[in-house]
Amino acid sequence: MAVSASDMTPQALAALLSFYADSGVEDLCEDAAIDRFEQSAALAQSRTQGKPQRELTGAPASSGQQGQRSSAPAVRPGATVAAQPMTPAPQASQLTIPGEAAFEDARALAASATTIAELRAALDGFTGCNLRHSAKTLVFADGNPDADVMFIGEAPGREEDIQGAPFVGRAGQLLDRMLSAIGLSRDTAYITNMIPWRPPGNRTPAPHEIELCRPFIERHVALAAPKIVVMLGNVASKSLLGTDKGILSLRGTWMEYLAGEARIPALPTLHPAYLLRNPAQKRLVWADLLSLQERIEQLKAG
Ligand code: URA
């Protein structure tokens, strides 16, 4: 028999919630369970039949969630971006499995942005990625968009989701210390993520989520036009550099990131969250940071 909150005493409810919190449950999404296996099977079927976005329930695929775009303020150089409410997510009855239409929509929206502020507004209006429905905020970027160096992480965590800014939790504090060790700060670096919405429970973003968000991060790099890109961790390094190699073999080797016509020097390195779990690996990142510092000096000299 299903138990509803209204059947429970406040004490029992508090004890249950505290049990959930202790067990690591951080997101309560829906009243009814969602059969993800059925969704995946339906998606696979729609792909093989070449059909556009398949509807689970509710409105037709072209019901145009993009109509909800809002104009968001520009990111100010050096400013910490405050959390901003997102455009409301669709109701559960309007949720769709991402199909080719969502990927096309992401590409068109990203391409239509001619400034970083427009890109933020475009992302805010993009409803094709399931992650935005469980996230509290859009975590867009922090730091100085005119900086020479752009750092790209994986996806926001709990603290970032609350504050609406990337790298503000424990990993972010370590990133700040890493920046400061080579004379950088959020005034002289630009910081963002591959994925702008927190995956529930901080799970690794799924491949389709990375692909849905790829046009936005690619456009973000093109618009910010940094002189150096630093990829933090496996997800950003592998997906932006288009390689299957793991971060431990990629890190520390200078590569090129292709942003349209531009070839931007790119340095993959370990993610600060990984360093929190594996502090002995900080020596590897220290070598990468020194290499980065040397490149920055060369840029200034030259
Ligand atoms: N980890 C990330 O990759 N990005 C953040 O913003 C925070 C933690």
Side-chain angles (χ1 to χ4, degrees):
M1 188 185 83
V3 178
S4 115
S6 55
D7 300 329
M8 301 173 77
T9 63
Q11 291 79 6
L13 195 53
L16 181 62
L17 288 174
S18 142
F19 169 78
Y20 283 153
D22 290 346
S23 312
V25 176
E26 294 168 333
D27 297 288
L28 302 174
C29 298
E30 305 286 344
D31 289 339
I34 297 173
D35 188 343
R36 302 277 177 210
F37 292 105
E38 191 202 16
Q39 288 185 348
S40 310
L43 175 58
Q45 195 188 4
S46 77
R47 284 236 166 100
T48 49
Q49 292 172 354
K51 283 189 195 152
Q53 188 161 324
R54 182 187 184 281
E55 273 298 292
L56 265 187
T57 51
S62 60
S63 64
Q65 294 301 329
Q66 286 68 38
Q68 298 173 338
R69 277 168 221 161
S70 72
S71 56
V75 181
R76 288 178 291 109
T80 295
V81 182
Q84 294 178 22
M86 289 192 298
T87 300
Q91 300 301 303
S93 61
Q94 296 172 291
L95 292 181
T96 52
I97 300 171
E100 194 43 43
F103 291 92
E104 272 165 24
D105 200 25
R107 287 191 285 270
L109 276 168
S112 72
T114 59
T115 63
I116 288 180
E118 282 178 18
L119 186 70
R120 184 190 175 119
L123 255 176
D124 188 43
F126 178 57
T127 55
C129 181
N130 49 300
L131 293 177
R132 68 165 288 150
H133 306 308
S134 52
K136 292 184 177 63
T137 54
L138 170 72
V139 177
F140 184 69
D142 196 15
N144 183 348
D146 297 326
D148 285 345
V149 192
M150 182 168 187
F151 288 79
I152 305 176
E154 181 176 316
R158 182 171 183 275
E159 205 50 46
E160 288 76 21
D161 188 34
I162 292 169
Q163 295 191 35
F167 285 100
V168 292
R170 281 184 68 224
Q173 286 156 17
L174 178 54
L175 178 62
D176 285 341
R177 292 199 293 279
M178 288 161 56
L179 296 180
S180 125
I182 54 166
L184 293 177
S185 69
R186 293 193 188 223
D187 289 336
T188 51
Y190 191 44
I191 302 171
T192 188
N193 282 306
M194 283 295 298
I195 307 276
W197 298 285
R198 180 193 181 204
N202 296 347
R203 66 166 167 74
T204 303
H208 76 270
E209 292 159 353
I210 295 172
E211 288 313 307
L212 275 170
C213 295
R214 175 190 292 283
F216 295 102
I217 184 65
E218 289 182 348
R219 189 79 185 129
H220 205 159
V221 178
L223 290 170
K227 299 203 172 76
I228 295 173
V229 179
V230 179
M231 286 95 176
L232 299 167
N234 238 332
V235 168
S237 304
K238 285 167 82 170
S239 31
L240 289 177
L241 295 170
T243 171
D244 281 341
K245 284 193 187 162
I247 187 63
L248 286 170
S249 57
L250 286 174
R251 64 138 283 277
T253 305
W254 282 93
M255 305 180 81
E256 273 185 342
Y257 172 74
L258 303 182
E261 302 285 287
R263 290 167 177 270
I264 305 177
L267 182 67
T269 192
L270 303 179
H271 194 289
Y274 172 82
L275 296 178
L276 289 174
R277 296 191 301 273
N278 302 277
Q281 305 287 50
K282 282 183 187 164
R283 67 192 169 81
L284 299 176
V285 170
W286 178 235
D288 300 349
L289 289 173
L290 291 178
S291 174
L292 173 62
Q293 188 176 36
E294 197 179 318
R295 276 280 172 136
I296 296 171
E297 294 303 329
Q298 285 168 3
L299 270 179
K300 283 188 191 148

